């Protein structure tokens, strides 16, 4: 059975603690944490981990950084990545999320100049993570990325070729998607479900379920019934993590916590139907 999670993101310890309590209160199975802004000291990590145990929450993925960009910054990116892996291992997180975010060059020559080092560094961080028992998960992202469409995602997975290097499907951050960049615009020549999600679904081990407009009780920018049909057709049985993309009034008439609660209920409904009618 698929599990339901939420990505907690904060900049101080007190807010992180409140978010663990909130995730337990709305009956989630898992909680994910964004590493940006998270305290890394062992005392805080032990406290958060204990709170998760008390709330019956597994720790899913930790949101780490990118592994492509200026070549002279490669060693710095790897140093940060190793610190993120160490934190994931200490917390007992299942996965560390990584990005391939960097402006996609116009010329093929420039694209390949960045591509090779990116693959080498994904391999290096995967090998380091394997020693710590951590899985690395590549997340697709929108315009200005080396993983903004299915072709790029599949090529990265093939080129890296490490058993602990896997894939996180972000439902909203696709090239030409309404939730991408610029937000609210979409490419009418692209069907994100057919052109992207169906192709990467066989490789998906975790889903970041984006929510943009949920105040009426269902997500209006993305078709989650169709998404879950795709997932079930590919025997996906992992975690689906709620990622609320802001959308305060006037886009959503209610506040963040109520929107997340509505998102959880919506996902439970479509998840149940996907099992019933698969």
């Amino acid at each position: 059975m698929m599990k339901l999670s939420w990505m907690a993101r904060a900049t101080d310890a007190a807010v992180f603690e409140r978010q663990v309590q909130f995730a337990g209160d709305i009956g989630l199975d898992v909680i994910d944490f964004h590493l940006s802004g998270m305290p890394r000291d062992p005392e805080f990590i032990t406290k958060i981990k204990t709170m998760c145990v008390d709330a019956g929450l597994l720790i899913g993925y930790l949101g780490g950084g990118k592994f492509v960009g200026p070549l002279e910054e490669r060693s710095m990116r790897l140093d940060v990545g190793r610190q993120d892996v160490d934190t994931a291992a200490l917390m007992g997180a299942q996965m560390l999320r990584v990005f391939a975010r960097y402006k996609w060059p116009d010329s093929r020559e420039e694209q390949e100049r960045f591509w090779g080092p990116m693959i080498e560094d994904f391999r290096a961080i995967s090998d380091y993570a394997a020693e710590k028992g951590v899985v690395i998960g590549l997340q697709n992202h929108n315009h200005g990325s080396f993983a903004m469409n299915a072709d790029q995602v599949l090529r990265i997975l093939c080129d890296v070729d490490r058993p602990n290097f896997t894939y996180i499907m972000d439902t909203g951050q696709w090239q030409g998607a309404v939730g991408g960049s610029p937000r609210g615009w979409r490419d009418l020549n692209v069907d994100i479900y057919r052109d992207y999600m169906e192709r990467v679904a066989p490789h998906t081990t975790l889903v970041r379920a984006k929510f943009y407009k949920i105040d009426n009780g269902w997500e209006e920018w993305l078709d989650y019934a169709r998404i879950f049909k795709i997932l079930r057709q590919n025997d996906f049985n992992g975690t689906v993590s709620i990622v609320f993309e802001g959308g305060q009034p006037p886009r959503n008439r209610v506040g963040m916590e109520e929107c997340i609660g509505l998102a959880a209920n919506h996902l439970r409904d479509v998840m149940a139907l996907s099992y019933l009618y698969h």
Side-chain angles (χ1 to χ4, degrees):
M1 178 69 73
M2 286 181 255
K3 295 167 284 297
L4 197 57
S5 184
W6 167 57
M7 187 194 75
R9 184 168 187 164
T11 55
D12 63 70
V15 177
F16 272 112
E17 292 170 18
R18 163 62 191 146
Q19 290 175 335
V20 172
Q21 180 181 349
F22 170 71
D25 289 345
I26 63 174
L28 299 180
D29 308 300
V30 185
I31 188 167
D32 308 302
F33 296 104
H34 201 287
L35 282 172
S36 176
M38 171 181 269
R40 305 282 187 110
D41 59 280
E43 182 179 356
F44 171 78
I45 289 175
T46 301
K47 182 175 183 179
I48 286 292
K49 191 170 183 177
T50 303
M51 289 181 67
C52 290
V53 171
D54 291 343
L57 293 166
L58 297 173
I59 299 175
Y61 76 88
L62 301 186
K66 65 178 185 176
F67 285 82
V68 61
L71 302 185
E72 64 272 16
E73 298 176 4
R74 288 178 69 186
S75 61
M76 181 187 69
R77 289 193 293 269
L78 279 170
D79 285 344
V80 172
R82 293 185 190 99
Q83 293 170 20
D84 292 346
V85 167
D86 291 345
T87 301
L90 183 61
M91 289 194 76
Q94 293 181 324
M95 190 182 302
L96 174 69
R97 185 280 313 277
V98 296
F99 276 135
R101 286 186 68 180
Y102 190 67
K103 185 181 185 304
W104 182 246
D106 293 329
S107 73
R108 179 65 180 269
E109 182 181 5
E110 275 293 284
Q111 293 163 12
E112 294 304 314
R113 190 170 75 89
F114 286 103
W115 190 275
M118 174 186 71
I119 298 302
E120 291 175 3
D121 292 348
F122 276 144
R123 288 173 178 168
I125 198 63
S126 297
D127 291 344
Y128 181 82
E131 297 174 358
K132 306 285 184 174
V134 174
V135 173
I136 301 294
L138 170 72
Q139 178 195 328
N140 59 281
H141 214 269
N142 63 338
H143 303 299
S145 171
F146 279 56
M148 59 185 168
N149 57 50
D151 287 341
Q152 293 171 323
V153 167
L154 294 173
R155 184 185 172 193
I156 292 174
L157 292 174
C158 180
D159 287 357
V160 174
D161 191 26
R162 290 293 190 270
N164 67 323
F165 187 82
T166 185
Y167 170 62
I168 298 172
M169 180 197 290
D170 189 299
T171 58
Q173 287 286 1
W174 291 108
Q175 183 180 21
V178 68
S181 175
R183 184 155 298 168
W185 170 89
R186 65 180 174 184
D187 185 347
L188 297 178
N189 294 313
V190 172
D191 181 336
I192 63 171
Y193 310 96
R194 180 196 64 213
D195 299 339
Y196 302 147
M197 296 190 203
E198 288 183 6
R199 295 177 60 202
V200 299
H203 306 276
T204 299
T205 54
L206 188 145
V207 174
R208 280 170 49 95
K210 288 294 181 64
F211 281 86
Y212 301 94
K213 180 161 173 52
I214 184 65
D215 57 341
N216 287 317
W218 70 94
E219 171 55 32
E220 297 181 36
W221 287 21
L222 291 168
D223 185 347
Y224 275 106
R226 187 174 176 185
I227 292 170
F228 273 82
K229 182 178 180 180
I230 293 169
L231 293 171
R232 289 292 296 131
Q233 287 173 339
N234 287 275
D235 297 321
F236 175 79
N237 194 40
T239 299
V240 179
S241 180
I242 297 165
V243 182
F244 180 56
E245 288 283 10
Q248 305 297 340
R251 191 199 305 165
N252 288 289
R253 297 165 294 172
V254 297
M256 182 188 74
E257 290 194 353
E258 188 169 349
C259 282
I260 294 167
L262 289 169
N265 290 335
H266 179 50
L267 289 179
R268 290 187 182 106
D269 288 343
V270 294
M271 190 184 298
L273 288 172
S274 74
Y275 279 99
L276 184 63
Y277 293 107
H278 173 60

